[in-house]
Amino acid sequence: MKGIKGIKFRIYIMSIGLLLITLIMIGRLGYLQLIKGDELKIMAATQQTKDVKIAPKRGRIYDRNKKILATSLKLYTIRCRMVDVKAEEKESHAEIISEILEMDKDEVLKMLLSDKNWVEIKRWVEKEQADLLRSKKLDGIIIDEEYKRYYPRDNFAAQLIGNTNRDNFGEYGIERSCEEYLAGIPGRSIKIVDNRGNELPYGNKKIYDSVEGEDIVLTIDERIQHIADSAAQKALVETKAKRTCILIMDPNNGKILAMANKPDFNPNNRQKIYYDINNPWQNLDETKLKEINDMEWSKKQNILYQMWKNYSISGIHEPGSTFKIITWATAIEENVVKSGEKFLCDGYVKQVKGNIKCWRYRNPHGEQTLMEGFENSCNEVSCELALRLKKEKFCKYISAFGFGKKTNIDLPGEEYGLIQNVKGINDVELATMSFGQGICVTPIQMLNAVCAVVNGGNLMKPGVIERVENRQGETIYSFSPEVVKKVISKDTSKKMRTFLQAAVEEGTGKKAYIRGYNIGGKTGTAQKIVDGKYKDGYYIASFAGAAPIDNPQIAILVMIDEPGIEENHGGTLAAPIAGQVIEKVLNYLNK
């Protein structure tokens, strides 16, 4: 009897245990069905479907005459899904792949022997190679279509156009500022797959096509840009400069016709350095270039950032005597000079303490009119004008001409420049500001202000985008000239044009003179600050002007930063380059 009772007891315990297990399983099933059901359905769908993004074709970039400056090429990327490749196949795979893709067999085999799930074997493969590899039907080898950004003119206007990164996203220049237009909309390919990721033959497949990006038409003229690029490169080499910059603009509407910065880079290979950063004018052999490109990333990175930087909009410098254009225009507008009044230059500015000299203090200009003072680029006259204007009024005009603020040009990376707070300016600082010391500007600010002086007094908003077009060629956005501010009167502008013409024909800008062309402009030689002090041998030579000066169609700024030759003046270095460029551009435009 005791044995029977023991058996019953064990059956009873086992029944209770089975009941508990059943209840737990029912509870777990209910939890999975009712509470986690939706989440698990999503996970199952995710495992059973493969959702692949289809990259859109990026929009093209044109010059104003619809010459292509940037486009996208359809190429192929070869990848391997390692789980699909048997161990005994890897050797033969490597041999076939290396032969077709012209790669080292050992390098390919090393990739196939890695413990990664996916391996990218080669990117940017031509169609012929991709088709041949596809015909071999190798297990695990995936061939995807991709678009590679291509710049057919290599380093042409490189900092202006910019470049894209590995994922085809705009990093610099127009590629960055117009990303929303150029990028397009990605598509999707959704298909049913098995547990190894292979597409099932009877699964539903849906494809949502990508939408191509829009095209950008720039205000840049390919021919004018070529003229500026060539002149900037020639100046870089001949003057052994740190960098050169040439900006050309239509003063009547703010359209940028050329923006040349040297040295530059090739956006088709944006991480390759082509020159010695300390001597960019110097031709280097392959051994030296390899040494530079093989340097550690922390050092190379700084050089690359300097290469990619658009100095025309982000380079901050003291303008020197080109700023006298603003000083004279303000003085004429405010009528602080009496008719027929003359100024005496004895080499030293005695109105303020501070040992301020005229640049010709060893051979002073002597007595001169206001126009002669401009022709001679006399510091004494410049200081006198600023002192008569007083700091509040002078600074008001400096701000009105656009200094100390962004021009809001449609490019990324623009700097503000730097002007002092009017309350903290003393008479010495006011005097030196009059000839371009103690104030920092960008090249685009300087040229835009000059345009306002010569175009009748209107400060324009500069721009490099002419219009945006869709793939049907329809315009969805177009450039409209925008007057930011009326700075000076038409009469003052007209008078300043005669001053600028006189400076070229009779003054410091003589080397910009070209027979048969009415050119007006002003030279500048700005000593640079190094380690907090103005340092001998470090200068920026510049020329700012316009032509034909009686009815300006182009305005130009030429800058040579740190020329490495004995001559360093704007009148001897920048002025002749400006004259040559103006002649070629006006001939091209038939002006």
Side-chain angles (χ1 to χ4, degrees):
M1 290 295 292
K2 286 183 179 179
I4 294 174
K5 286 183 180 180
I7 292 171
K8 286 182 177 181
F9 180 75
R10 285 195 293 272
I11 292 173
Y12 176 72
I13 295 299
M14 288 178 64
S15 298
I16 292 174
L18 288 172
L19 179 62
L20 289 172
I21 291 172
T22 302
L23 290 173
I24 290 171
M25 292 179 65
I26 292 172
R28 178 63 177 169
L29 184 62
Y31 171 76
L32 294 175
Q33 289 271 3
L34 300 176
I35 298 175
K36 300 285 286 186
D38 291 340
E39 182 180 337
L40 292 172
K41 283 180 184 178
I42 294 172
M43 290 176 63
T46 301
Q47 292 174 349
Q48 294 165 8
T49 60
K50 187 175 182 180
D51 189 347
V52 179
K53 186 174 80 169
I54 302 174
K57 186 175 183 180
R58 195 170 176 85
R60 292 162 291 196
I61 300 175
Y62 296 98
D63 87 326
R64 67 175 183 169
N65 298 312
K66 295 297 289 283
K67 294 180 181 178
I68 290 182
L69 305 180
T71 188
S72 295
L73 304 177
K74 182 186 284 187
L75 296 174
Y76 299 84
T77 295
I78 313 302
R79 298 182 175 89
C80 180
R81 187 168 59 199
M82 306 301 288
V83 70
D84 294 336
V85 184
K86 297 172 184 170
E88 60 269 21
E89 293 179 324
K90 293 187 177 182
E91 180 78 27
S92 60
H93 272 37
E95 186 171 345
I96 295 170
I97 292 169
S98 62
E99 182 179 350
I100 293 174
L101 300 185
E102 300 175 352
M103 297 175 67
D104 181 73
K105 179 185 173 183
D106 292 338
E107 181 186 346
V108 177
L109 184 58
K110 184 178 179 181
M111 294 180 189
L112 299 181
L113 291 173
S114 74
D115 55 2
K116 296 179 180 178
N117 295 326
W118 284 86
V119 173
E120 183 181 290
I121 297 174
K122 191 172 183 180
R123 203 175 192 197
W124 311 138
V125 173
E126 298 288 343
K127 185 177 186 301
E128 293 76 13
Q129 291 177 307
D131 288 344
L132 181 56
L133 187 59
R134 190 180 287 112
S135 70
K136 301 299 181 180
K137 298 182 178 179
L138 302 179
D139 290 341
I141 298 303
I142 310 297
I143 302 175
D144 292 327
E145 288 184 0
E146 290 191 33
Y147 288 103
K148 181 183 180 182
R149 201 60 165 164
Y150 175 61
Y151 304 89
R153 299 171 192 271
D154 293 326
N155 62 337
F156 178 89
Q159 290 97 341
L160 167 68
I161 296 170
N163 59 271
T164 59
N165 63 14
R166 179 181 173 87
D167 298 319
N168 236 14
F169 178 82
E171 282 193 316
Y172 294 93
I174 287 293
E175 293 279 25
R176 178 64 180 271
S177 64
C178 294
E179 176 68 19
E180 62 177 306
Y181 295 115
L182 291 166
I185 302 172
R188 296 171 68 193
S189 172
I190 303 173
K191 49 192 176 185
I192 308 300
V193 296
D194 61 18
N195 64 336
R196 299 182 68 185
N198 297 311
E199 184 179 356
L200 296 175
Y202 304 109
N204 291 325
K205 182 177 181 179
K206 291 183 179 180
I207 295 178
Y208 301 91
D209 292 330
S210 61
V211 179
E212 294 184 3
E214 277 105 14
D215 296 334
I216 306 296
V217 181
L218 301 179
T219 60
I220 297 296
D221 187 296
E222 183 265 348
R223 179 58 186 156
I224 298 176
Q225 179 70 35
H226 177 71
I227 293 169
D229 267 342
S230 299
Q233 181 62 33
K234 183 181 178 183
L236 183 78
V237 173
E238 291 183 351
T239 67
K240 299 181 180 180
K242 179 180 178 180
R243 71 169 58 85
T244 56
C245 167
I246 298 179
L247 267 171
I248 303 175
M249 187 171 175
D250 186 332
N252 302 301
N253 52 34
K255 293 182 181 180
I256 304 295
L257 304 178
M259 184 179 283
N261 300 279
K262 298 293 180 180
D264 52 23
F265 69 102
N266 187 341
N268 289 312
N269 193 352
R270 63 192 172 90
Q271 293 196 357
K272 182 176 181 180
I273 301 169
Y274 294 87
Y275 56 89
D276 181 348
I277 192 69
N278 297 312
N279 302 294
W281 46 270
Q282 192 175 52
N283 288 325
L284 298 178
D285 58 31
E286 288 300 318
T287 303
K288 182 63 176 176
L289 286 174
K290 185 177 187 305
E291 180 185 319
I292 291 173
N293 281 283
D294 287 347
M295 71 174 67
E296 61 184 72
W297 175 248
S298 60
K299 294 180 180 177
K300 185 178 178 180
Q301 186 179 31
N302 294 330
I303 298 174
L304 291 172
Y305 287 152
Q306 289 300 313
M307 281 170 42
W308 300 334
K309 180 179 178 179
N310 188 341
Y311 185 77
S312 294
I313 63 170
S314 60
I316 301 175
H317 66 284
E318 290 189 348
S321 290
T322 53
F323 197 76
K324 289 172 183 172
I325 298 173
I326 308 304
T327 304
W328 258 257
T330 303
I332 293 170
E333 180 72 11
E334 286 298 316
N335 198 29
V336 298
V337 180
K338 297 175 183 177
S339 177
E341 184 177 359
K342 292 191 176 182
F343 301 82
L344 178 63
C345 171
D346 61 4
Y348 296 88
V349 178
K350 296 185 176 65
Q351 298 95 318
V352 297
K353 296 178 181 179
N355 194 29
I356 301 174
K357 303 174 185 176
C358 182
W359 65 275
R360 250 181 60 169
Y361 67 94
R362 288 191 176 94
N363 184 20
H365 295 114
E367 195 174 65
Q368 57 195 329
T369 64
L370 184 64
M371 179 177 283
E372 289 169 339
F374 189 77
E375 293 171 12
N376 297 329
S377 192
C378 180
N379 287 355
E380 282 202 61
V381 178
S382 180
C383 292
E384 176 63 26
L385 296 178
L387 292 168
R388 290 186 186 185
L389 285 162
K390 301 191 184 307
K391 63 180 182 179
E392 290 80 10
K393 190 165 288 184
F394 192 34
C395 288
K396 175 185 174 184
Y397 274 88
I398 289 172
S399 178
F401 272 109
F403 297 107
K405 62 190 78 171
K406 292 184 179 182
T407 66
N408 291 319
I409 189 172
D410 32 28
L411 285 169
E414 183 182 10
E415 292 287 350
Y416 288 86
L418 180 66
I419 59 175
Q420 297 183 57
N421 187 298
V422 64
K423 292 181 180 178
I425 297 173
N426 58 39
D427 283 349
V428 172
E429 291 166 330
L430 177 61
T432 57
M433 283 172 61
S434 74
F435 52 82
Q437 283 188 358
I439 179 170
C440 291
V441 306
T442 63
I444 188 63
Q445 285 176 342
M446 191 67 235
L447 184 58
N448 203 38
V450 171
C451 288
V453 171
V454 301
N455 71 8
N458 296 320
L459 183 73
M460 306 300 296
K461 178 185 175 183
V464 294
I465 299 173
E466 182 70 43
R467 61 185 180 277
V468 181
E469 295 180 346
N470 61 22
R471 285 293 170 167
Q472 290 71 47
E474 300 166 336
T475 298
I476 59 177
Y477 165 83
S478 61
F479 176 96
S480 296
E482 181 181 335
V483 178
V484 177
K485 193 177 186 69
K486 181 73 172 176
V487 187
I488 57 175
S489 67
K490 286 185 177 181
D491 287 342
T492 298
S493 176
K494 184 178 180 180
K495 186 173 287 187
M496 278 304 301
R497 291 198 296 270
T498 66
F499 278 46
L500 290 162
Q501 184 173 2
V504 169
E505 294 181 356
E506 302 292 339
T508 57
K510 280 182 180 179
K511 291 196 174 182
Y513 176 78
I514 302 291
R515 185 182 294 274
Y517 296 84
N518 283 336
I519 299 173
K522 180 75 189 71
T523 61
T525 308
Q527 193 172 17
K528 295 182 70 173
I529 295 176
V530 179
D531 298 327
K533 299 178 183 177
Y534 289 104
K535 189 168 182 179
D536 288 338
Y538 290 79
Y539 293 91
I540 296 178
S542 60
F543 178 92
I549 196 61
D550 52 342
N551 182 24
Q553 300 301 303
I554 61 169
I556 185 169
L557 177 68
V558 176
M559 293 184 57
I560 301 171
D561 189 2
E562 288 186 27
I565 57 178
E566 186 175 347
E567 184 53 70
N568 51 37
H569 291 91
T572 51
L573 295 187
I577 294 168
Q580 294 160 18
V581 170
I582 288 170
E583 180 182 17
K584 290 177 181 178
V585 172
L586 291 183
N587 281 340
Y588 165 69
L589 295 174
N590 292 318
K591 298 296 185 181

